[in-house]
Amino acid sequence: MQFSERKNTTRWIIIFASFLIISLILWNTYTFFQIFKNEERLKMNLWANAQKTLINAGENTDVELPLQIFSNNTSIPIVLTENDSIINTVNIDEAIVENKDKATAFLFNLKNENEAIVIEYVPGKFQKLYYGNSALLNKLKYYPVALLLIIVLFAAVVYYFYRSTKIATQNKLWAGMAKETAHQIGTPLSSLIGWVEILKADNVEESTTYEIEKDIERLQTITDRFSKIGSEPVLEKKDIVEETLQSYNYLQSRFSKQIEFTFDSPSSPVFVLLNPTLHSWTIENLVKNAIDAMKGRGKLSLHIEQDGESVKINVSDSGNGILKNNFKSVFEPGFTTKKRGWGLGLSLTKRIVEEYHKGKVKVLSSEMGKGTTMQLVYKKLI
């Protein structure tokens, strides 16, 4: 318990430190941006003073410094206006300057980007200098956005890695538990088989030993299932119609007569690569879930159809239905709407169908209060 709490504390410290570092980086970036912006403002003030000097220059005026100021500006776009007319442009594409509409739109953007510098070159006469951000300043402006995107991407990668690792660990745990369960059941099961043989030798009533043998057979099936779910199962070429019908008939004979069962399938065999033991478990899970959804009363149908290179098995019920936002959640371990249950049936079904048989399982359709259709899809052998 203390180890778990210490681990959580360390995790929160790392998260807090990460956010603090990110905040400091963003704040420094913003500070640099403001510093560069102020420096560019000073440069434009110098440019404005140089412009004023040139306008008022006489024969003896030294214009070398103003001209040097003009030539040093190679990155900041400038539009100079007088009486709302553009009289000069600097560092602006000729295609924009020569097009009146584009030039007006460009000037409008500059007005929104920075406050104009007013040049009073003689008393009562003014020019306005509009300027934009340099390429370097624009890059710096978008740097925090790029940084945030990188951080989000990195966080997504870390989350995906953490989730994948967690799922892989859980899968190993489930597989280990399944193997251990099969092993633990196997020991008393062997003993029960021996006791049945002793009962037969003692001439115990046949009906009694027959029922015990049926229960033992059922336990052997369960043991076989857990043994296969804990390791890579062997797939065989099987008629999926026949295999599904066997499981369906077995379940039909053991449930209430208040359930109206229907089965519809192609008349000819449909062959797929299948593990019969695990497939019967899949059908059993879907049928039992459907019966639970109907609370032991309603209509349950199983329909098998061929579609190109695939075969589809639809299990439909007239139960309560599933909310649309739970269509994917129902296959997650632990998800259940029942008061009792571990929420593992559909999770195991998904593992059996998708990981072992390379098929697909999904909620095909569902309507609250009217029922649900679950679908299995397998690839046919042609």
Side-chain angles (χ1 to χ4, degrees):
M1 185 68 177
Q2 289 179 350
F3 174 76
S4 178
E5 289 176 357
R6 197 181 306 119
K7 191 175 180 181
N8 285 331
T9 304
T10 304
R11 186 183 294 123
W12 280 111
I13 290 171
I14 293 170
I15 292 170
F16 176 77
S18 301
F19 274 108
L20 183 62
I21 292 168
I22 292 165
S23 301
L24 288 172
I25 293 171
L26 293 175
W27 173 252
N28 282 329
T29 304
Y30 174 77
T31 304
F32 290 149
F33 179 80
Q34 292 302 317
I35 291 170
F36 289 143
K37 196 171 180 68
N38 290 334
E39 286 184 356
E40 289 193 354
R41 182 78 180 180
L42 292 172
K43 288 180 182 178
M44 289 301 96
N45 279 320
L46 289 174
W47 200 98
N49 288 328
Q51 173 71 5
K52 183 178 178 179
T53 301
L54 280 178
I55 293 173
N56 297 314
E59 291 182 1
N60 298 321
T61 304
D62 185 4
V63 295
E64 185 179 347
L65 182 59
L67 291 175
Q68 188 175 353
I69 291 171
F70 287 158
S71 63
N72 283 340
N73 176 33
T74 58
S75 60
I76 302 174
I78 295 173
V79 173
L80 194 64
T81 68
E82 187 170 353
N83 299 325
D84 295 327
S85 297
I86 297 174
I87 61 172
N88 192 17
T89 60
V90 179
N91 298 326
I92 298 174
D93 193 342
E94 286 295 327
I96 296 174
V97 176
E98 292 173 359
N99 187 306
K100 187 177 179 181
D101 292 335
K102 288 183 178 180
T104 303
F106 190 83
L107 177 59
F108 179 77
N109 290 332
L110 292 185
K111 288 179 179 180
N112 291 328
E113 205 163 337
N114 292 294
E115 185 181 349
I117 296 174
V118 179
I119 307 169
E120 188 177 10
Y121 58 94
V122 294
K125 289 191 176 183
F126 301 93
Q127 289 181 353
K128 287 186 178 181
L129 186 153
Y130 296 98
Y131 68 98
N133 296 327
S134 64
L136 176 63
L137 200 60
N138 281 327
K139 287 178 181 177
L140 192 62
K141 181 171 66 176
Y142 293 113
Y143 175 74
V145 178
L147 181 64
L148 285 173
L149 288 174
I150 291 169
I151 290 166
V152 169
L153 181 63
F154 180 73
V157 170
V158 171
Y159 172 76
Y160 178 77
F161 176 76
Y162 171 75
R163 181 176 170 81
S164 300
T165 304
K166 189 176 180 181
I167 290 172
T169 303
Q170 287 178 341
N171 286 339
K172 286 181 179 178
L173 178 63
W174 285 118
M177 287 179 65
K179 281 186 174 181
E180 184 62 21
T181 301
H183 177 72
Q184 292 292 338
I185 293 175
T187 304
L189 193 57
S190 300
S191 178
L192 284 172
I193 294 170
W195 282 109
V196 169
E197 294 302 320
I198 291 172
L199 289 174
K200 284 182 179 179
D202 289 344
N203 295 321
V204 174
E205 190 175 342
E206 188 177 340
S207 60
T208 302
T209 56
Y210 176 73
E211 292 300 324
I212 295 174
E213 283 179 326
K214 279 173 56 179
D215 289 336
I216 289 173
E217 186 179 342
R218 179 63 178 166
L219 284 172
Q220 285 176 324
T221 301
I222 293 169
T223 305
D224 193 25
R225 286 175 178 176
F226 275 99
S227 176
K228 285 180 170 59
I229 202 72
S231 58
E232 193 68 28
V234 177
L235 303 182
E236 307 170 40
K237 182 180 178 181
K238 292 286 184 180
D239 177 12
I240 196 168
V241 176
E242 182 184 349
E243 296 296 332
T244 304
L245 182 59
Q246 286 179 6
S247 301
Y248 190 79
N249 287 338
Y250 171 83
L251 294 166
Q252 183 178 359
S253 65
R254 280 158 178 77
F255 282 102
S256 168
K257 300 300 180 183
Q258 293 180 321
I259 303 290
E260 183 182 331
F261 287 87
T262 56
F263 184 91
D264 179 39
S265 68
S267 55
S268 56
V270 181
F271 292 101
V272 299
L273 284 175
L274 205 67
N275 183 281
T277 303
L278 294 182
H279 179 67
S280 69
W281 199 1
T282 299
I283 298 301
E284 184 176 317
N285 282 335
L286 293 181
V287 170
K288 282 184 175 179
N289 267 9
I291 292 171
D292 287 340
M294 296 186 294
K295 297 180 180 178
R297 178 182 297 178
K299 296 180 179 180
L300 191 148
S301 67
L302 194 151
H303 176 71
I304 303 177
E305 61 182 10
Q306 301 183 66
D307 180 17
E309 296 180 352
S310 62
V311 56
K312 298 176 181 178
I313 302 174
N314 295 335
V315 179
S316 304
D317 63 65
S318 58
N320 294 327
I322 302 169
L323 293 171
K324 194 168 184 178
N325 56 359
N326 286 335
F327 276 17
K328 291 184 178 180
S329 302
V330 294
F331 297 103
E332 293 178 3
F335 182 91
T336 180
T337 56
K338 296 178 285 187
K339 292 181 180 179
R340 294 183 179 181
W342 291 89
L344 295 177
L346 289 179
S347 174
L348 285 169
T349 298
K350 184 179 179 68
R351 182 184 177 113
I352 292 168
V353 174
E354 296 188 355
E355 291 188 26
Y356 294 153
H357 292 92
K358 309 305 177 187
K360 292 181 181 178
V361 58
K362 63 179 180 179
V363 181
L364 183 64
S365 63
S366 187
E367 191 173 347
M368 297 305 295
K370 293 190 176 180
T372 302
T373 298
M374 306 291 292
Q375 186 178 78
L376 304 175
V377 181
Y378 295 99
K379 187 176 180 181
K380 289 194 301 183
L381 291 177
I382 299 173

